[in-house]
Amino acid sequence: MQTRNSPSVWALQSLAREAGMRDFGSMSKCDLFKRLKDQFNMERLERLRARGIKRGHEETLEEEEECSTQYWEGSGNSGRRRPRRGKRGKPQKAPRKTCKRKTSPRRLIDPIMLTEMPPKAATYVFKRPNGTEVVYNLSTLMDYCIATGNFLEPETRIEFSDEELQRMDALAGEARLHKESILEAKRDPRRYDEAHFRIDAVHGLERCAGELVVEMLSVVEGDDPEEGQMKLVMYLFPSFADFYSQLHAADEHFAAMCMEHFTNFIKGPPNKPTVDECGFLPIILHFFERVKSGEQTDFGF
């Protein structure tokens, strides 16, 4: 949810520069967005950034106009070159002369951590089947694969071949990262059996709770208050509380993220909020708050 509601990491770093922040390159996107939102006026920074972009566009137009003027300047009394004429005597258009603009080198962003890579960090370039290339911080890429047991490219979920994993081990040895062999970890799948089972169980609980939230939304948008009230009290609320308690016991942080997603889904998008004709929406949101805080509820109205 944070990714959809916040600007891109490039825009956030530009706003941080306008605000005079330091060491923002090592901050994650979520932390940077939260700090800008809490400590600075986001609207004012965005206006400053927009004015800077407009100013840069005007400077680019001035550079192009200056280059065009320099092209037509020449020697002689008139100070201009006569345009060339074609076979039929019509003046030909002068070839456009481009000016090279000074551009500062852009720092690489780690696709996993969404932070700037250190200048001398060991990197791994992965070439996808369509020909595109992506640069990863080798240290974070190996940590990701070994910690999760997913030997896939994080963005496209393309599986790494044994040759590519062996290449990562060789690069890590050359850079003296002192990392565990990623190829040997892939060849020992038993070490990840328990972790994969736990992940599947947590995702299963999240799906079950999500299906109940969808039914709650159908009750809110329905036109039968008596039937909706009975469905919430007798089935949806008790079942959801049971699934969420299991989810919270398995992974507290993931459960909090799911509850935030469920709440936003029930409310609807800002440009088209959920229509609540029977008054069920505040009851469901209050129920979510009590379940999230761990309070006991009798599911009554």
Side-chain angles (χ1 to χ4, degrees):
M1 302 301 297
Q2 192 68 264
T3 303
R4 297 178 183 175
N5 295 335
S6 63
S8 65
V9 64
W10 302 107
L12 291 176
Q13 290 179 354
S14 178
L15 295 177
R17 293 188 187 94
E18 294 287 349
M21 288 178 56
R22 296 181 179 180
D23 299 331
F24 58 85
S26 59
M27 299 175 62
S28 65
K29 178 181 177 181
C30 296
D31 294 339
L32 181 58
F33 176 74
K34 185 177 180 181
R35 185 172 176 183
L36 287 172
K37 190 176 181 181
D38 295 343
Q39 299 183 6
F40 301 94
N41 189 338
M42 288 284 291
E43 295 182 358
R44 178 176 176 275
L45 292 176
E46 288 177 354
R47 289 197 298 269
L48 289 175
R49 178 173 174 270
R51 284 199 293 267
I53 294 175
K54 183 178 180 181
R55 191 182 304 114
H57 179 65
E58 292 175 353
E59 291 176 356
T60 302
L61 294 178
E62 291 177 0
E63 290 178 1
E64 291 180 354
E65 184 178 356
E66 182 180 356
C67 292
S68 178
T69 303
Q70 292 176 358
Y71 178 80
W72 288 107
E73 287 179 352
S75 59
N77 297 329
S78 63
R80 294 184 180 181
R81 294 183 181 179
R82 298 180 61 184
R84 297 180 180 178
R85 295 186 175 273
K87 295 181 180 180
R88 297 184 179 181
K90 295 182 179 180
Q92 294 180 347
K93 293 183 179 180
R96 187 172 182 178
K97 184 177 181 181
T98 59
C99 290
K100 294 183 179 180
R101 289 182 293 173
K102 296 181 181 180
T103 58
S104 57
R106 189 178 238 184
R107 297 282 294 276
L108 292 176
I109 298 295
D110 185 1
I112 298 177
M113 303 300 296
L114 297 180
T115 57
E116 290 186 1
M117 296 187 191
K120 298 182 180 180
T123 58
Y124 177 76
V125 180
F126 177 70
K127 188 173 182 179
R128 295 168 179 167
N130 61 356
T132 59
E133 295 182 348
V134 59
V135 181
Y136 283 94
N137 187 329
L138 181 60
S139 179
T140 56
L141 178 60
M142 295 184 70
D143 290 341
Y144 164 81
C145 294
I146 293 175
T148 61
N150 295 324
F151 301 94
L152 313 169
E153 200 227 334
E155 290 186 337
T156 60
R157 313 299 293 173
I158 299 175
E159 184 176 3
F160 291 123
S161 63
D162 292 348
E163 292 76 11
E164 291 169 337
L165 298 179
Q166 187 175 5
R167 175 62 177 164
M168 293 182 198
D169 289 336
L171 292 175
E174 294 175 1
R176 298 181 180 180
L177 297 180
H178 305 290
K179 297 290 184 181
E180 182 182 356
S181 174
I182 192 172
L183 181 59
E184 294 180 1
K186 180 184 179 181
R187 292 176 176 175
D188 185 17
R190 296 181 181 179
R191 62 185 294 179
Y192 299 107
D193 288 345
E194 183 178 354
H196 288 168
F197 175 78
R198 181 173 176 274
I199 292 174
D200 292 341
V202 169
H203 287 174
L205 291 171
E206 187 269 338
R207 293 188 188 99
C208 293
E211 291 178 358
L212 296 176
V213 174
V214 173
E215 294 189 35
M216 291 181 192
L217 181 61
S218 65
V219 171
V220 173
E221 296 176 340
D223 55 357
D224 192 343
E226 294 183 0
E227 182 181 354
Q229 181 177 349
M230 292 298 297
K231 190 174 183 180
L232 289 173
V233 174
M234 302 298 295
Y235 169 59
L236 295 178
F237 282 176
S239 300
F240 180 86
D242 180 44
F243 286 136
Y244 186 81
S245 63
Q246 297 181 50
L247 187 62
H248 185 271
D251 193 331
E252 182 177 353
H253 180 67
F254 182 69
M257 293 175 59
C258 291
M259 181 60 78
E260 182 180 358
H261 174 70
F262 295 153
T263 303
N264 293 331
F265 179 78
I266 284 289
K267 291 180 179 179
N271 59 342
K272 192 175 181 182
T274 302
V275 178
D276 181 22
E277 296 182 355
C278 301
F280 286 136
L281 186 59
I283 297 174
I284 295 176
L285 295 177
H286 179 66
F287 167 74
F288 282 171
E289 289 295 331
R290 297 188 63 181
V291 171
K292 183 179 179 180
S293 61
E295 298 180 13
Q296 297 292 333
T297 177
D298 55 359
F299 311 115
F301 280 74

